[in-house]
Amino acid sequence: MRFFSVRQTSRAVLFSMGTSVGLLLSLNTQAATVEPETANTTATAEQSAVDRLTPANSTDGIIALVNESAILKSDLIAAITQAQSRATAAGEPITNSAKLQSDVLNALILRELQLSMVKRVGLNPDETTINQRLSQIAQSEGLNSISELQQRLDAARPGSYAALRAQLIEDAAIQALQQRQISERVRISEQDIDAFLASPEAKRLNQSEYQTIHVRVPYMDDYSRLSEAQRAEALKVAETLRARLLTPNVNVTEAVAASQGSYPIPLQGGDMGFHKAASLPTELSSQITQLDIGDVSEPLVTPEGIDIIKLADKKVSDTMLIPQWKTRHILVKVDELQTDALAEQKINDLYEQLRNGADFASLASTYSDDPGSAGRGGDLDWVSEKDMVAPFEAVMKNTAVGDYSAPFKTQFGWHILEVDEKRQQDVSEQYRRNMARQALYQRLAPQAQEDWLQELRADAYIQILG
């Protein structure tokens, strides 16, 4: 006997969170096509049109079984209604067709499968991340705080804020799950990195900085649902903008405003300042590195809109220098065998010995509780920024070469550190290899995600009852 649970969370939020969530729905739908069982597909097209699920003809019940969970008719209706509302707001209303119902239902099914896996592996998103996302939403609505957002949502519909927060938690958990699954499937060898660095695409990893003007013509709806007329209108705006940006010393703000015309979605972007090509997505950086100063790219079609990029200026550099400190330290741990007060007294005694001329390395070898460095006289070798916890790094940066610090505390206990040398180290090759690995990962990740989603669906029990 199979038992099913019914999740009563509001799925309407799935379709009302903006472009990113809408795009997620579109991508998930591609990997979640589920056809009804043969016994349920004997109706004619005319019968399907008559029986199509709407608020008027539906009494709530189960529309699909997904492993031990169930999707209700009300879930599907709410999601379809939100999809139609967004399309209508964009000026391109869509009918409640069989294809729309199938796309929305398949997206809900795949989401249910991922949420079930989230529960099994015990993924819990960080509360700080959720609050940051809520703050971003509040700011986008012209509000000053999360509490104001909660008041506005609950005033319009009681419980809306709780539903939104629950939705964000689910989204963050699914994103973390996808990242984990993809990272387990993408394997990049040193030979792969060597081959990438030998390719023309590796030019984006150089240390030159590019000042770009980057403007996007956003789509009116998810790309998969755009009509040919809507796509043509967006492209026309992008081409108009490109022509204006080709003018030398153009006023970017005026060019964007003049190109906006009657296009219903505000154009986004402007002068982005200087940045390295490697800090951008591959498709954008590959455009930038091919431009001469003053050139403007051809319209670049992306899932979110059409991008236009102008190279305003360029700073050429082939090296990446970072500061490093040759450091040693003495650690006195705070643990169940040594209280904080006792550890502080011990480190102060060692500090007095240093002030009286004791050798730092000898004290570290004898008294330091750091097993990794005590045998080397406390030597930590060359230390870069972000290698150590923040309090240690701050003290290290403020200690002169050849000098030692006063006692200070970190999460590991009490320390004294000494800075023997400081240098500027060229890490260009290491940086290039790390960036090459990231670029290869971005290239391979979409297919890895598609494969995983297909496996997830294939291993699931799914029955559509509509």
Side-chain angles (χ1 to χ4, degrees):
M1 180 177 296
R2 184 177 288 270
F3 295 91
F4 299 94
S5 63
V6 177
R7 301 176 66 254
Q8 292 282 49
T9 56
S10 172
R11 300 179 184 275
V13 184
L14 174 65
F15 293 88
S16 60
M17 289 297 296
T19 303
S20 61
V21 176
L23 178 59
L24 175 63
L25 170 67
S26 175
L27 293 175
N28 286 349
T29 299
Q30 298 173 19
T33 303
V34 180
E35 298 298 334
E37 291 189 340
T38 304
N40 296 322
T41 59
T42 56
T44 63
E46 291 78 8
Q47 289 172 322
S48 296
V50 173
D51 296 337
R52 195 157 295 138
L53 193 62
T54 66
N57 68 15
S58 172
T59 57
D60 208 3
I62 295 174
I63 192 69
L65 302 176
V66 183
N67 289 332
E68 284 73 37
S69 298
I71 296 174
L72 300 180
K73 293 180 180 179
S74 57
D75 294 332
L76 181 58
I77 291 172
I80 290 172
T81 300
Q82 289 293 331
Q84 290 180 301
S85 297
R86 289 199 313 124
T88 300
E92 189 69 20
I94 54 177
T95 60
N96 187 357
S97 65
K99 183 180 185 305
L100 176 62
Q101 288 197 19
S102 176
D103 288 347
V104 172
L105 178 57
N106 282 310
L108 293 178
I109 288 171
L110 188 59
R111 184 177 181 83
E112 193 67 51
L113 290 172
Q114 293 176 92
L115 288 174
S116 295
M117 191 170 184
V118 163
K119 292 180 180 178
R120 289 199 304 272
V121 300
L123 281 176
N124 296 305
D126 178 56
E127 194 74 11
T128 301
T129 302
I130 303 303
N131 288 335
Q132 288 175 347
R133 179 65 181 124
L134 286 167
S135 296
Q136 292 171 355
I137 295 173
Q139 292 175 6
S140 69
E141 295 294 326
L143 304 175
N144 296 320
S145 65
I146 295 177
S147 60
E148 289 185 15
L149 176 66
Q150 181 176 3
Q151 292 172 6
R152 173 178 291 187
L153 290 175
D154 287 342
R157 178 181 295 177
S160 294
Y161 174 79
L164 172 59
R165 188 178 187 87
Q167 185 70 41
L168 292 178
I169 292 173
E170 289 185 352
D171 290 343
I174 288 176
Q175 183 179 21
L177 176 67
Q178 290 176 347
Q179 290 174 347
R180 176 186 294 187
Q181 294 296 321
I182 293 169
S183 63
E184 291 176 354
R185 285 165 169 76
V186 175
R187 296 288 183 265
I188 300 171
S189 68
E190 293 302 313
Q191 290 74 21
D192 294 331
I193 294 175
D194 291 338
F196 179 88
L197 291 174
S199 70
E201 190 178 354
K203 288 194 303 181
R204 67 183 289 265
L205 302 182
N206 63 41
Q207 298 306 305
S208 298
E209 295 188 12
Y210 301 83
Q211 181 188 6
T212 58
I213 296 165
H214 182 187
V215 182
R216 170 170 292 170
V217 181
Y219 294 130
M220 302 177 194
D221 198 356
D222 290 336
Y223 184 80
S224 60
R225 293 197 291 269
L226 289 174
S227 66
E228 289 299 324
Q230 288 176 321
R231 295 180 189 183
E233 184 177 0
L235 181 59
K236 182 178 180 181
V237 173
E239 290 173 340
T240 300
L241 174 63
R242 180 180 185 274
R244 294 181 186 278
L245 290 179
L246 282 169
T247 304
N249 301 317
V250 63
N251 184 304
V252 178
T253 302
E254 293 178 358
V256 171
S259 303
Q260 179 73 54
S262 60
Y263 193 71
I265 310 297
L267 305 190
Q268 303 168 349
D271 189 338
M272 309 305 290
F274 282 96
H275 45 74
K276 292 182 173 64
S279 66
L280 297 172
T282 302
E283 63 273 11
L284 296 183
S285 62
S286 61
Q287 290 283 327
I288 292 173
T289 55
Q290 296 177 25
L291 297 176
D292 294 324
I293 295 176
D295 285 353
V296 182
S297 71
E298 295 293 332
L300 178 62
V301 176
T302 76
E304 291 81 26
I306 302 178
D307 291 342
I308 299 294
I309 304 170
K310 177 174 182 175
L311 182 58
D313 200 358
K314 179 180 179 180
K315 297 177 182 177
V316 179
S317 175
D318 291 325
T319 60
M320 182 178 185
L321 299 176
I322 63 170
Q324 291 184 328
W325 293 259
K326 190 75 162 55
T327 308
R328 64 179 71 240
H329 82 136
I330 300 170
L331 168 65
V332 179
K333 283 185 178 180
V334 176
D335 54 26
E336 63 275 5
L337 301 178
Q338 187 163 247
T339 65
D340 182 73
L342 185 59
E344 184 178 9
Q345 180 181 345
K346 185 176 178 180
I347 202 75
N348 285 334
D349 289 342
L350 294 172
Y351 182 63
E352 284 303 314
Q353 293 185 50
L354 288 171
R355 287 168 58 89
N356 291 326
D359 179 66
F360 194 102
S362 297
L363 289 180
S365 297
T366 305
Y367 298 107
S368 179
D369 291 331
D370 178 8
S373 67
R376 303 190 304 271
D379 187 11
L380 296 172
D381 204 359
W382 288 102
V383 177
S384 304
E385 292 177 323
K386 308 302 182 183
D387 283 351
M388 300 297 183
V389 293
F392 191 102
E393 179 177 313
V395 173
M396 179 181 68
K397 288 181 175 180
N398 289 318
T399 301
V401 173
D403 199 2
Y404 53 84
S405 71
F408 64 97
K409 188 178 180 182
T410 73
Q411 66 203 64
F412 302 105
W414 286 89
H415 306 255
I416 302 172
L417 66 79
E418 182 180 55
V419 177
D420 294 332
E421 300 178 58
K422 182 179 179 181
R423 70 183 183 186
Q424 293 290 320
Q425 179 71 3
D426 184 2
V427 295
S428 302
E429 182 60 22
Q430 177 184 342
Y431 175 84
R432 280 167 55 81
R433 295 190 74 82
N434 289 340
M435 291 298 99
R437 186 180 297 276
Q438 291 184 23
L440 288 169
Y441 183 89
Q442 291 176 1
R443 177 191 297 172
L444 298 173
Q447 185 59 53
Q449 178 175 345
E450 178 78 8
D451 293 343
W452 169 62
L453 293 175
Q454 293 289 358
E455 292 172 15
L456 190 65
R457 178 170 64 87
D459 293 338
Y461 172 83
I462 300 172
Q463 183 181 5
I464 298 178
L465 305 176

